Coordinates of all heavy atoms in Angstrom, one line a residue:
T1 N -0.2 11.6 -5.6 CA 0.0 10.2 -5.1 C 0.2 9.2 -6.2 O 0.0 9.5 -7.4 CB -1.3 9.8 -4.3 OG1 -2.4 9.7 -5.2 CG2 -1.6 10.7 -3.1
V2 N 0.7 8.0 -5.8 CA 0.6 6.9 -6.6 C -0.4 5.9 -5.9 O -0.5 5.9 -4.7 CB 2.0 6.2 -6.9 CG1 2.9 7.1 -7.7 CG2 2.7 5.8 -5.6
E3 N -1.0 5.1 -6.7 CA -2.0 4.2 -6.1 C -1.9 2.8 -6.6 O -1.3 2.5 -7.7 CB -3.4 4.7 -6.4 CG -3.8 4.7 -7.9 CD -5.2 5.3 -8.1 OE1 -5.5 6.4 -7.6 OE2 -6.0 4.6 -8.8
Q4 N -2.4 1.9 -5.8 CA -2.4 0.4 -6.1 C -3.7 -0.2 -5.7 O -4.1 0.0 -4.6 CB -1.2 -0.2 -5.4 CG -1.0 -1.7 -5.7 CD -0.6 -1.9 -7.2 OE1 0.2 -1.3 -7.7 NE2 -1.3 -2.9 -7.8
S5 N -4.3 -0.9 -6.6 CA -5.6 -1.6 -6.3 C -5.2 -3.1 -6.0 O -4.2 -3.6 -6.4 CB -6.6 -1.6 -7.4 OG -7.0 -0.2 -7.6
Y6 N -6.1 -3.7 -5.2 CA -5.9 -5.1 -4.8 C -7.3 -5.7 -4.6 O -8.3 -5.0 -4.3 CB -5.0 -5.3 -3.6 CG -5.5 -4.6 -2.3 CD1 -6.1 -5.3 -1.3 CD2 -5.3 -3.2 -2.2 CE1 -6.6 -4.6 -0.2 CE2 -5.7 -2.6 -1.0 CZ -6.4 -3.3 0.0 OH -6.8 -2.7 1.1
D7 N -7.3 -7.1 -4.6 CA -8.6 -7.8 -4.4 C -8.9 -8.0 -3.0 O -8.0 -8.2 -2.1 CB -8.5 -9.2 -5.1 CG -8.4 -9.0 -6.6 OD1 -9.0 -8.1 -7.2 OD2 -7.7 -9.9 -7.2
L8 N -10.2 -7.9 -2.7 CA -10.8 -8.2 -1.4 C -11.6 -9.4 -1.6 O -11.8 -9.9 -2.7 CB -11.7 -7.0 -0.9 CG -11.0 -5.7 -0.7 CD1 -12.1 -4.6 -0.4 CD2 -10.1 -5.8 0.5
E9 N -12.2 -9.9 -0.5 CA -13.0 -11.1 -0.7 C -14.2 -10.9 -1.6 O -14.6 -11.7 -2.4 CB -13.5 -11.5 0.7 CG -14.2 -12.9 0.7 CD -14.6 -13.3 2.1 OE1 -14.2 -12.7 3.1 OE2 -15.3 -14.4 2.2
Y10 N -14.8 -9.6 -1.5 CA -15.9 -9.3 -2.3 C -15.7 -7.9 -3.0 O -16.3 -6.9 -2.6 CB -17.2 -9.2 -1.5 CG -17.6 -10.5 -0.7 CD1 -17.3 -10.6 0.6 CD2 -18.1 -11.5 -1.4 CE1 -17.6 -11.8 1.3 CE2 -18.4 -12.7 -0.8 CZ -18.2 -12.9 0.5 OH -18.5 -14.0 1.2
G11 N -14.8 -7.9 -3.9 CA -14.5 -6.6 -4.7 C -13.0 -6.3 -4.6 O -12.1 -7.1 -4.5
T12 N -12.8 -5.0 -4.8 CA -11.4 -4.5 -4.8 C -11.3 -3.2 -3.9 O -12.3 -2.6 -3.5 CB -10.9 -4.1 -6.2 OG1 -11.8 -3.0 -6.7 CG2 -11.0 -5.2 -7.1
A13 N -10.1 -2.9 -3.5 CA -9.8 -1.7 -2.8 C -8.6 -1.0 -3.4 O -7.8 -1.7 -4.1 CB -9.6 -2.0 -1.3
T14 N -8.4 0.2 -3.0 CA -7.2 1.0 -3.5 C -6.6 1.7 -2.4 O -7.3 2.4 -1.6 CB -7.6 1.9 -4.7 OG1 -8.3 1.2 -5.7 CG2 -6.4 2.7 -5.2
I15 N -5.2 1.6 -2.3 CA -4.5 2.4 -1.4 C -3.5 3.3 -2.2 O -3.2 3.1 -3.3 CB -3.7 1.5 -0.4 CG1 -2.8 0.5 -1.1 CG2 -4.6 0.8 0.6 CD1 -1.9 -0.3 -0.2
E16 N -3.0 4.3 -1.5 CA -2.1 5.3 -2.1 C -1.1 5.8 -1.1 O -1.3 5.8 0.1 CB -2.9 6.4 -2.9 CG -3.8 7.2 -2.0 CD -4.7 8.2 -2.8 OE1 -4.7 8.1 -4.1 OE2 -5.3 9.0 -2.2
V17 N -0.1 6.4 -1.7 CA 1.0 7.1 -0.9 C 1.4 8.3 -1.6 O 1.3 8.4 -2.9 CB 2.1 6.1 -0.7 CG1 2.9 5.8 -1.9 CG2 3.1 6.6 0.4
H18 N 1.8 9.3 -0.9 CA 2.4 10.6 -1.5 C 3.5 10.2 -2.4 O 4.4 9.4 -2.0 CB 2.8 11.6 -0.5 CG 1.7 12.4 0.1 ND1 1.5 12.5 1.4 CD2 0.6 13.0 -0.5 CE1 0.4 13.3 1.7 NE2 -0.1 13.6 0.5
K19 N 3.5 10.8 -3.6 CA 4.6 10.4 -4.6 C 6.0 10.8 -4.2 O 6.9 10.2 -4.5 CB 4.2 11.2 -5.9 CG 4.9 10.6 -7.1 CD 4.4 11.3 -8.4 CE 4.9 10.6 -9.6 NZ 4.3 11.1 -10.8
D20 N 6.1 11.8 -3.3 CA 7.4 12.3 -2.9 C 7.8 11.7 -1.5 O 8.8 12.2 -0.9 CB 7.4 13.8 -2.8 CG 6.4 14.4 -1.9 OD1 5.6 13.7 -1.3 OD2 6.4 15.7 -1.7
S21 N 7.1 10.8 -1.0 CA 7.3 10.3 0.4 C 8.4 9.3 0.5 O 9.0 9.1 1.6 CB 6.0 9.7 1.0 OG 5.6 8.6 0.3
I22 N 8.7 8.6 -0.6 CA 9.8 7.6 -0.6 C 10.7 7.9 -1.8 O 10.2 8.0 -3.0 CB 9.2 6.2 -0.7 CG1 8.3 5.9 0.5 CG2 10.3 5.1 -0.9 CD1 7.5 4.6 0.4
Q23 N 12.0 8.0 -1.6 CA 12.9 8.3 -2.7 C 13.6 7.0 -3.2 O 13.7 6.0 -2.4 CB 14.0 9.3 -2.2 CG 13.4 10.6 -1.6 CD 12.5 11.3 -2.6 OE1 12.9 11.5 -3.8 NE2 11.3 11.7 -2.2
P24 N 14.0 7.0 -4.4 CA 14.7 5.8 -4.9 C 15.9 5.4 -4.0 O 16.6 6.2 -3.6 CB 15.2 6.3 -6.3 CG 14.2 7.3 -6.7 CD 13.9 8.0 -5.4
G25 N 15.9 4.1 -3.7 CA 17.0 3.5 -2.9 C 16.7 3.5 -1.4 O 17.4 2.8 -0.7
Q26 N 15.7 4.2 -1.0 CA 15.4 4.1 0.4 C 14.8 2.8 0.8 O 14.0 2.2 0.1 CB 14.4 5.2 0.8 CG 15.0 6.6 0.8 CD 14.1 7.7 1.3 OE1 12.9 7.8 0.9 NE2 14.6 8.5 2.3
K27 N 15.2 2.3 2.0 CA 14.8 1.0 2.5 C 13.6 1.2 3.4 O 13.7 2.0 4.4 CB 16.0 0.3 3.2 CG 17.1 0.0 2.2 CD 18.2 -0.7 3.0 CE 19.3 -1.1 2.0 NZ 20.3 -0.1 1.8
V28 N 12.5 0.5 3.2 CA 11.3 0.7 3.9 C 10.8 -0.5 4.7 O 10.8 -1.7 4.1 CB 10.2 1.1 2.9 CG1 8.9 1.4 3.6 CG2 10.6 2.3 2.1
I29 N 10.4 -0.3 5.9 CA 9.7 -1.3 6.7 C 8.2 -1.1 6.5 O 7.7 0.1 6.7 CB 10.0 -1.2 8.2 CG1 11.5 -1.3 8.5 CG2 9.2 -2.1 9.0 CD1 12.1 -2.7 8.2
I30 N 7.4 -2.1 6.1 CA 6.0 -1.9 6.0 C 5.4 -2.6 7.3 O 5.8 -3.8 7.6 CB 5.4 -2.6 4.8 CG1 6.0 -1.9 3.5 CG2 3.9 -2.5 4.7 CD1 5.6 -2.5 2.2
I31 N 4.5 -1.9 8.0 CA 3.9 -2.5 9.1 C 2.3 -2.4 9.1 O 1.8 -1.4 8.6 CB 4.3 -1.8 10.4 CG1 3.7 -2.4 11.7 CG2 4.1 -0.3 10.4 CD1 4.3 -2.0 13.0
D32 N 1.7 -3.5 9.5 CA 0.3 -3.5 9.7 C 0.0 -4.3 11.0 O 0.9 -5.1 11.4 CB -0.5 -4.0 8.5 CG -1.9 -3.5 8.4 OD1 -2.4 -2.8 9.4 OD2 -2.6 -3.8 7.4
D33 N -1.2 -4.2 11.5 CA -1.4 -5.0 12.8 C -1.5 -6.5 12.5 O -1.1 -7.3 13.4 CB -2.7 -4.5 13.4 CG -4.0 -4.7 12.6 OD1 -3.9 -4.7 11.4 OD2 -5.0 -5.0 13.2
L34 N -2.0 -6.9 11.3 CA -2.3 -8.3 11.1 C -2.1 -8.6 9.6 O -2.3 -7.8 8.7 CB -3.8 -8.4 11.4 CG -4.4 -9.8 11.2 CD1 -5.4 -10.1 12.4 CD2 -5.2 -9.9 10.0
I35 N -1.5 -9.8 9.4 CA -1.4 -10.4 8.1 C -2.5 -11.5 8.0 O -2.4 -12.4 8.8 CB 0.0 -10.8 7.7 CG1 0.0 -11.5 6.3 CG2 0.6 -11.7 8.8 CD1 1.3 -11.9 5.8
A36 N -3.3 -11.4 7.0 CA -4.3 -12.4 6.7 C -4.0 -13.0 5.3 O -3.2 -13.9 5.2 CB -5.7 -11.8 6.8
T37 N -4.6 -12.4 4.3 CA -4.4 -13.0 3.0 C -3.2 -12.3 2.3 O -2.7 -12.8 1.3 CB -5.6 -12.7 2.0 OG1 -5.8 -11.3 1.9 CG2 -6.9 -13.4 2.6

């Protein structure tokens, strides 16, 4: 995987994705239920 950390209100969290799941040049839609910060 590759990973990325980000700030939370009280600390940090880390998310990751399989390294081979997205190839260079591919166009990606990112979806979540809610956008807050």
Side-chain angles (χ1 to χ4, degrees):
T1 62
V2 293
E3 65 181 51
Q4 182 67 45
S5 295
Y6 60 99
D7 291 328
L8 298 169
E9 190 174 356
Y10 301 106
T12 61
T14 303
I15 54 174
E16 58 188 8
V17 67
H18 281 131
K19 197 172 190 176
D20 61 355
S21 63
I22 299 168
Q23 302 305 310
Q26 287 186 309
K27 295 179 176 92
V28 181
I29 301 295
I30 299 175
I31 182 171
D32 206 353
D33 66 323
L34 179 139
I35 176 174
T37 65

